[in-house]
Amino acid sequence: MRSRSGKSFSIVAVAEGAMSKADAADLKAAEKKKEKAKSKSEKQTAKAAITAWEGRHAGNTLRLSRKLEQLTRLESRVTILGYVQRGGTPSAVDRLLATRLGTACADLLNDGAYGVMVAARGEGTEPVPLEKVAGKRKQVSFDHPWIESARLVGTTLGD
């Protein structure tokens, strides 16, 4: 859809530790085996199974990237953002915001709410249907404080 409208890129965000429902069920089953293990040998075997599962699923983001390339026939690039977004070590505010948004996402998923994004609103969060935001632009004026701050630290905005 985006490429047909002249866009040459899309951004896909993937939560750290994201996995398919089938993978989550497999991991849960392996963890249950470990919990129910009665002998030390059974616990070691179950722990080894979990470690093997984790090894098979390391690099999920790269696998997803390759799969997206196959499905879309478009180049895919992976960036693990971490604190690279801001260019420095995360502050307490960054960590709290990430925790607040992540918790809200988990709560929405637990409640069966899909097709929404989580928006930070004041001190809280709220789900926003994707239809309300997808494909729409929210313009930031050139005299906005965010733009002024970006320029003060040397960010080039292409103008």
Side-chain angles (χ1 to χ4, degrees):
M1 168 82 73
R2 287 179 55 79
S3 60
R4 281 182 272 166
S5 63
K7 305 292 187 238
S8 61
F9 71 93
S10 292
I11 297 173
V12 177
V14 180
E16 183 178 1
M19 64 183 82
S20 69
K21 289 180 182 181
D23 288 342
D26 290 345
L27 179 58
K28 191 172 188 176
E31 289 171 340
K32 273 191 177 181
K33 280 186 182 179
K34 182 181 171 190
E35 288 173 20
K36 292 183 178 185
K38 298 196 188 309
S39 70
K40 187 175 181 179
S41 169
E42 287 176 337
K43 283 187 181 183
Q44 287 176 336
T45 301
K47 190 174 180 180
I50 291 170
T51 300
W53 183 94
E54 289 169 344
R56 287 190 307 274
H57 292 84
N60 272 349
T61 305
L62 294 173
R63 265 194 296 288
L64 176 59
S65 173
R66 286 192 297 271
K67 185 69 173 177
L68 284 172
E69 284 184 343
Q70 291 171 354
L71 293 170
T72 64
R73 292 185 213 101
L74 297 171
E75 178 185 3
S76 176
R77 297 180 191 171
V78 173
T79 301
I80 313 271
L81 288 178
Y83 60 85
V84 174
Q85 254 179 327
R86 281 185 39 254
T89 304
S91 68
V93 172
D94 296 328
R95 290 185 173 126
L96 289 171
L97 176 62
T99 301
R100 191 172 87 183
L101 294 174
T103 301
C105 287
D107 288 343
L108 287 167
L109 288 170
N110 190 52
D111 294 342
Y114 301 99
V116 298
M117 61 162 255
V118 175
R121 299 277 192 243
E123 294 301 312
T125 60
E126 71 178 56
V128 178
L130 292 177
E131 303 85 54
K132 287 191 171 189
V133 294
K136 297 180 182 172
R137 280 191 183 179
K138 193 170 185 181
Q139 297 288 333
V140 178
S141 65
F142 286 112
D143 63 345
H144 192 283
W146 294 347
I147 302 299
E148 291 174 12
S149 295
R151 288 196 169 113
L152 285 173
V153 296
T155 304
T156 302
L157 301 172
D159 57 339

